[in-house]
């Protein structure tokens, strides 16, 4: 009883479903790893309702529940994906459910600095400190520090990616194909390429911001 035991709660067909018991020992820490989620939606979405219900039940059964969180899907080089609101909403829902710890498997595009992975890192750190912080303010702080004069345009780009994510009707698994990213239309890609050309011009005098 003086030793904590961690046990992975993983995959719907394996151990994600909570056991039919009244209570688990206080020294058992289930680690809830929702890799079977729809990565285009947070836990309030109907496609992920089953997952969130399972998480709440685990929190009812155990004194401590940790979440092994997946910020981004895998599958080759990560295409552009607005995945900031999903993270903020899920962190608040974790807290509401009773989660006491978190580990983020944040390794998709991170070492290459792809997409908004650096913003995700900053946002998750801040929300780990306090889930009730204003996520919009956190994003604005990061954008201004990271992108300088281009911050407003980069913020607009993120908003457009978020809109594309919300419009997705296909369940986005952990290992999606490029075809599933339906926001990558010729019109959007051409617009974003021109936007980035303009942002590079705006930040040309600052090598760090330009990078």
């Amino acid at each position: 009883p003086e030793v904590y035991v961690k046990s992975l709660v993983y995959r719907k067909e394996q151990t994600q479903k909570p056991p039919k018991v009244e209570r688990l020992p206080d020294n058992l820490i289930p680690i809830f790893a929702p890799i079977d989620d729809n990565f285009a939606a947070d836990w309030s979405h109907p496609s992920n309702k089953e997952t969130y219900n399972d998480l709440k039940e685990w929190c009812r059964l155990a004194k401590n529940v940790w979440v092994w969180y997946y910020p981004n899907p895998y599958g080759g080089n990560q295409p552009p994906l607005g995945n900031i609101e999903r993270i903020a909403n899920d962190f608040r829902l974790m807290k509401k459910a009773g989660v006491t710890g978190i580990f983020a498997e944040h390794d998709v595009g991170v070492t290459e600095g792809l997409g908004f992975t650096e913003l995700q890192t900053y946002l998750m750190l801040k929300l780990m400190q306090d889930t009730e912080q204003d996520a919009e303010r956190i994003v604005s702080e990061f954008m201004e520090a990271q992108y300088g004069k281009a911050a407003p345009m980069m913020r607009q780009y993120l908003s457009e990616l978020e809109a594309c994510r919300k419009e997705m009707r296909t369940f986005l698994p952990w290992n999606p194909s490029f075809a599933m990213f339906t926001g990558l239309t010729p019109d959007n890609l051409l617009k974003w390429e021109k936007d980035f050309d303009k942002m590079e011009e705006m930040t040309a005098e600052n090598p760090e911001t330009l990078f």
Side-chain angles (χ1 to χ4, degrees):
E2 296 182 5
V3 175
Y4 282 97
V5 178
K6 295 183 293 185
S7 180
L8 197 62
V9 176
Y10 183 69
R11 308 308 298 255
K12 290 180 179 178
E13 72 276 11
Q14 294 181 26
T15 55
Q16 178 173 312
K17 292 300 175 186
K20 302 295 183 182
V21 297
E22 286 301 314
R23 190 73 182 170
L24 293 169
D26 285 349
N27 64 330
L28 176 64
I29 304 176
I31 304 180
F32 192 84
I35 199 169
D36 292 325
D37 270 4
N38 176 10
F39 279 68
D42 61 44
W43 283 330
S44 68
H45 192 271
S47 62
N48 290 329
K49 182 179 179 180
E50 179 185 2
T51 297
Y52 190 58
N53 286 339
D54 288 342
L55 176 61
K56 289 189 292 184
E57 179 63 11
W58 278 104
C59 290
R60 187 189 70 80
L61 294 176
K63 181 179 180 180
N64 289 293
V65 175
W66 296 358
V67 167
W68 185 298
Y69 191 71
Y70 303 91
N72 298 306
Y74 284 81
N77 293 324
Q78 178 65 35
L81 178 66
N83 224 6
I84 300 301
E85 290 181 19
R86 170 180 174 261
I87 290 173
N89 291 340
D90 279 348
F91 270 57
R92 294 191 182 105
L93 288 168
M94 283 185 221
K95 178 74 172 180
K96 184 178 180 180
V99 169
T100 57
I102 182 172
F103 167 78
E105 189 169 313
H106 190 38
D107 57 358
V108 180
V110 176
T111 54
E112 304 91 343
L114 294 179
F116 286 103
T117 52
E118 292 169 334
L119 171 57
Q120 290 176 337
T121 301
Y122 183 68
L123 177 65
M124 287 190 288
L125 171 63
K126 300 302 288 186
L127 292 177
M128 285 178 190
Q129 296 168 345
D130 179 6
T131 58
E132 297 306 313
Q133 292 188 77
D134 184 350
E136 291 293 317
R137 179 183 56 78
I138 295 171
V139 171
S140 294
E141 287 176 354
F142 179 91
M143 291 284 191
E144 291 170 9
Q146 186 86 339
Y147 302 117
K149 293 179 180 179
M153 285 192 69
M154 191 62 80
R155 187 68 186 271
Q156 178 60 33
Y157 171 57
L158 174 59
S159 297
E160 292 170 4
L161 287 178
E162 292 280 26
C164 290
R165 175 184 60 81
K166 293 174 184 177
E167 292 170 0
M168 294 179 70
R169 296 294 175 263
T170 302
F171 188 100
L172 192 69
W174 68 271
N175 58 343
S177 68
F178 265 53
M180 292 180 175
F181 294 83
T182 52
L184 304 182
T185 64
D187 287 344
N188 280 342
L189 292 174
L190 182 60
K191 178 186 183 302
W192 294 333
E193 183 177 5
K194 291 180 178 178
D195 287 346
F196 270 86
D197 288 343
K198 187 177 294 185
M199 286 189 282
E200 288 179 349
E201 292 175 6
M202 296 168 67
T203 58
E205 79 287 351
N206 189 323
E208 183 177 346
T209 306
L210 178 61
F211 175 78

